[in-house]
Amino acid sequence: MHFYSLLSSLILFVLLLCISDSESLKTLKNLAVKRGGSLTIPCFYDEKYKSNRKYWCRGYYWSLCKIVAYTNISGKTSVTDHPSQNMFTVELKSLQDSDSGYYWCAVEIGGKETPDDKDYLYLTVSSDPAVSVTNSSVSGQEGGSVSAQCLYNAEYQNKQKNWCRFKDGSCFTAERTNTSQNSAVLVTDYGKGSVSVEMSGLKKSDAGWYWFSAGDVELPVHLTVTERPSNSTAVTENKETTAAELSLRQSEMMG
């Protein structure tokens, strides 16, 4: 009995080692994308990993996963490091059903005593993904607003839908009406396979990565916030426009 107890403990330890959550490296867990489409996945890491090499690995078991791409090697799969943001992105192109499976965001540490750090996710590629967005990258002007359209299939009609931010993990749950929500972020479920996200009064600090989820299926969206033109720039543009109009009128009168 003692032998079987030790064997069970060993098996449990191995499973936890092969599939584990990292506190120093984080990404989404269950993604869906349409066949033939592309997807950019953000992987966030701890400050201490800024200078380490990053890579993308495929396989159910971490110990047996196959490295697909390292940082700054372009191709069907490319990994780009953004050390100033403590993250790297994995861009996947021309995805097919055969690309479905388990993957790992990983940071190279090296050495037997300090194994590489990692976090896993599951990707499903199909002709009718559970979740999709009309644009995976949206932008708005500082002080202005931006919208994102998120779609889900009938199977997720009654599942909870969320709009969440990677930076702090805050989430807004979609409602059929928006009267009770924060006026700066409105997430409305129209009940017909579509969720609208409206963000107003944008600030530069709002820029970054978000994700939409329906049930347990997620999809990342990137928000860019551009600077609002200064008053002097606007005045200059108005003066130039007025001068051009005046010149055109004088030409017409002389003609």
Side-chain angles (χ1 to χ4, degrees), residues 33-71:
V33 66
K34 190 170 185 177
R35 181 187 304 138
S38 300
L39 181 65
T40 300
I41 302 168
C43 306
F44 292 84
Y45 56 78
D46 193 270
E47 178 84 14
K48 62 187 177 183
Y49 293 149
K50 275 184 181 291
S51 60
N52 296 64
R53 186 159 70 155
K54 285 77 180 182
Y55 61 96
W56 180 246
C57 201
R58 180 177 185 177
Y60 180 80
Y61 293 107
W62 165 248
S63 58
L64 300 176
C65 80
K66 179 182 179 181
I67 296 176
V68 178
Y70 280 102
T71 311

Side-chain angles (χ1 to χ4, degrees), residues 27 54 60 65 85 105 126 153 167 174 193 196 205 207 251:
T27 188
K54 285 77 180 182
Y60 180 80
C65 80
Q85 302 175 50
C105 294
S126 64
N153 63 28
K167 187 175 182 179
S196 172
S205 58
S251 298

Side-chain angles (χ1 to χ4, degrees), residues 224-243:
T224 300
V225 179
T226 58
E227 289 187 10
R228 181 170 43 194
S230 64
N231 291 333
S232 59
T233 301
V235 170
T236 301
E237 290 177 348
N238 288 336
K239 285 182 177 179
E240 291 176 349
T241 301
T242 302

Side-chain angles (χ1 to χ4, degrees), residues 138-228:
V138 295
S139 64
Q141 194 176 93
E142 192 175 7
S145 61
V146 69
S147 63
Q149 197 72 14
C150 310
L151 310 174
Y152 58 88
N153 63 28
E155 183 183 349
Y156 290 81
Q157 174 77 27
N158 298 316
K159 300 288 186 180
Q160 180 172 295
K161 290 87 179 177
N162 290 317
W163 175 257
C164 304
R165 186 179 187 182
F166 273 100
K167 187 175 182 179
D168 54 15
S170 60
C171 292
F172 293 90
T173 300
E175 299 179 5
R176 294 300 173 89
T177 60
N178 57 33
T179 55
S180 64
Q181 297 188 51
N182 182 333
S183 60
V185 182
L186 301 177
V187 186
T188 308
D189 183 3
Y190 293 106
K192 296 181 179 179
S194 176
V195 169
S196 172
V197 179
E198 300 284 342
M199 298 179 65
S200 58
L202 291 173
K203 301 184 292 292
K204 292 288 287 183
S205 58
D206 290 326
W209 284 94
Y210 294 76
W211 79 87
F212 170 72
S213 65
D216 62 347
V217 184
E218 307 153 319
L219 206 56
V221 177
H222 186 264
L223 169 63
T224 300
V225 179
T226 58
E227 289 187 10
R228 181 170 43 194

